[in-house]
Amino acid sequence: MTDLVAKVEQFLAEHPTAGADPVEWLGARFDAGLAWVHFPVGLGGLGASRSAQQAVDEAFLAANAPQPNPAAPVIGYGMAAPTILKFGTDEQKQRFLRPLYTGEEVWCQLFSEPGAGSDLATLATRAVRDGDEWIVDGQKVWTTMAHVARWAILVARTDPSLPKHQGLSYFVCDMTDPGVDVRPLRQITGEAEFNEVFLSGVRIPDAHRLGAVGEGWKVATTTLMNERVTIGAHAAEREDGLIGAVAKTWRERPELRTPGLHDRLLRLWVDAEALRLTAERLRQGLAAGQPGPEGSAAKLTFATLNQAVTGLDVELHGEEGLAYSDWTMRRPKDADWASRDAGFRYLRMKGNSIEGGTSEILRNIIADRILQLPKEPRSDVDIPWKDLPR
């Protein structure tokens, strides 16, 4: 850890933060191995322990270092990067990881479909081999930030004669290619952070396939496990996020207080602190390997807590909480929750129990893989996908 701190100090001395171009500065940080310190040398890391990342990030934050494009981190950092690192070829790692980190290239996720959300393995988007390319046709939905993305991680069906989990393959899709049509999905907030994406004859080079043909579910599982840790177990200080916004209002607006609201706030504050510390323990455990099903528990708790906290936030504001500042249809460049009013946060957090794995599916994962309860009866596991009723 001491050596890493020294490297950060040396880097800051050689690369002043004041007036720096964010992309160039972040590129230099990547090249120095201080982007993701647990990644290999030459790919943004130093081969250090994952547990050292938080200290490095905090040192750069304290120095007011440039930060990446706000649209980049969740899917790019949290999902695409670890998947590319584990399954990508050397050429893919060299091509994609650096511009992903600097925010030059934003990523989105083409997984869910109108008929395959919670049961993702039933997806119907087809990829047909044509020489050194794959021709992709289908529809994806709930695609966050697709309207600003350059690349997408995509799961498609390459063999419909196999059972649903076995006939999938995983690709990197260029969102600027012909045949990619991104359409906004307006949410209850009034904005269109999400999109539906239509793929019509999109040609993807076989060189942009991650993992072997037919192993798409294996690759996608890595993505999903990382997604749940990214959403539910991100690094945070005490009173970061939504609970901090409610606590701030409570302290600054004594006229809004009631004994009942006080009791609810204290209970939720304790729950938020318990989640923060549990997430810290989970991240420390990740230093020993890849994310497991524990991330599902963190994400489930994250969703439940956020919805309870924002509900309290609206009630605390009384009549003010019913006001809504702006319901204009717009397509944001990043998912900004913290700076919005109580009404926006309340409505937006309703999506937390759907995105990143529905709470119902996460409970099944916890029951199956953590508690090892008997599995639910399934009749579609060994049947060829093409024979499943749809």
Side-chain angles (χ1 to χ4, degrees):
M1 186 71 73
T2 303
D3 291 342
L4 278 176
V5 172
K7 285 182 179 293
V8 171
E9 293 174 349
Q10 180 182 353
F11 181 86
L12 289 170
E14 296 172 353
H15 300 83
T17 60
D21 176 83
V23 171
E24 292 183 5
W25 196 93
L26 288 168
R29 178 177 167 180
F30 181 94
D31 295 339
L34 296 171
W36 303 295
V37 295
H38 59 289
F39 275 38
V41 174
L43 296 175
L46 297 168
S49 169
R50 184 193 293 259
S51 62
Q53 186 67 47
Q54 185 172 346
V56 171
D57 289 342
E58 289 173 353
F60 281 122
L61 281 172
N64 294 317
Q67 298 300 306
N69 179 339
V74 174
I75 296 175
Y77 284 25
M79 298 159 61
T83 305
I84 293 169
L85 179 66
K86 184 173 182 180
F87 292 99
T89 64
D90 290 342
E91 292 77 11
Q92 289 169 341
K93 295 172 188 176
Q94 291 292 338
R95 166 62 187 86
F96 294 124
L97 289 177
R98 192 178 190 274
L100 181 158
Y101 177 74
T102 63
E104 293 171 86
E105 295 179 345
V106 175
W107 288 66
C108 67
Q109 178 191 24
L110 297 177
F111 277 30
S112 296
E113 299 181 5
S118 295
D119 190 5
L120 179 62
T122 60
L123 63 87
T125 294
R126 290 280 282 119
V128 178
R129 188 84 181 243
D130 182 23
D132 292 332
E133 295 181 318
W134 295 83
I135 303 175
V136 180
D137 292 276
Q139 179 187 357
K140 299 292 183 175
V141 74
W142 307 122
T143 308
T144 305
M145 295 299 159
H147 55 288
V148 296
R150 168 64 199 279
W151 298 101
I153 43 179
L154 164 70
V155 182
R157 189 162 303 281
T158 49
D159 190 345
S161 68
L162 294 175
K164 62 183 184 179
H165 292 90
Q166 299 176 29
L168 303 173
S169 298
Y170 195 112
F171 301 93
V172 172
C173 175
D174 188 339
M175 294 295 288
T176 66
D177 273 351
V180 178
D181 181 14
V182 179
R183 304 179 189 177
L185 280 176
R186 195 177 191 191
Q187 298 148 237
I188 194 173
T189 59
E191 297 185 345
E193 172 192 332
F194 295 119
N195 303 270
E196 55 183 344
V197 179
F198 294 86
L199 305 166
S200 304
V202 178
R203 289 186 169 269
I204 298 178
D206 187 56
H208 284 181
R209 172 172 45 83
L210 288 181
V213 175
E215 292 191 355
W217 187 253
K218 176 182 177 181
V219 184
T221 298
T222 294
T223 303
L224 294 171
M225 291 298 182
N226 278 282
E227 176 184 32
R228 287 156 192 168
V229 171
T230 299
I231 294 174
H234 57 278
E237 298 294 329
R238 179 173 291 174
E239 289 196 6
D240 269 1
L242 297 171
I243 194 65
V246 181
K248 182 175 184 291
T249 301
W250 181 269
R251 295 184 180 110
E252 295 177 353
R253 302 282 302 277
E255 75 277 9
L256 300 176
R257 303 173 186 172
T258 69
L261 292 174
H262 187 213
D263 181 71
R264 287 171 60 192
L265 175 58
L266 288 176
R267 292 176 184 274
L268 291 173
W269 192 96
V270 171
D271 288 346
E273 184 65 5
L275 174 60
R276 186 182 74 85
L277 295 175
T278 301
E280 175 65 26
R281 183 176 64 182
L282 175 58
R283 291 194 307 277
Q284 290 176 1
L286 290 180
Q290 291 291 323
E294 298 84 358
S296 296
K299 195 273 171 180
L300 173 63
T301 306
F302 169 85
T304 304
L305 179 64
N306 279 356
Q307 291 173 355
V309 169
T310 54
L312 174 63
D313 196 11
V314 169
E315 290 188 49
L316 178 60
H317 280 84
E319 292 181 357
E320 297 174 28
L322 299 177
Y324 201 75
S325 58
D326 185 10
W327 206 68
T328 303
M329 161 61 179
R330 68 185 189 95
R331 304 179 80 179
K333 293 184 178 180
D334 60 87
D336 176 20
W337 307 344
S339 65
R340 309 300 288 274
D341 56 35
F344 180 93
R345 291 194 293 265
Y346 174 76
L347 294 177
R348 179 57 184 83
M349 294 312 119
K350 293 300 181 186
N352 283 178
S353 52
I354 302 172
E355 59 197 346
T358 67
S359 292
E360 292 78 11
I361 290 297
L362 297 181
R363 288 187 177 95
N364 284 345
I365 292 172
I366 293 167
D368 179 18
R369 303 182 191 175
I370 298 179
L371 302 178
Q372 297 185 342
L373 298 177
K375 294 179 181 290
E376 292 186 353
R378 299 292 298 269
S379 60
D380 60 350
V381 175
D382 299 319
I383 299 174
W385 177 85
K386 64 182 178 62
D387 296 332
L388 292 176
R390 283 185 296 280

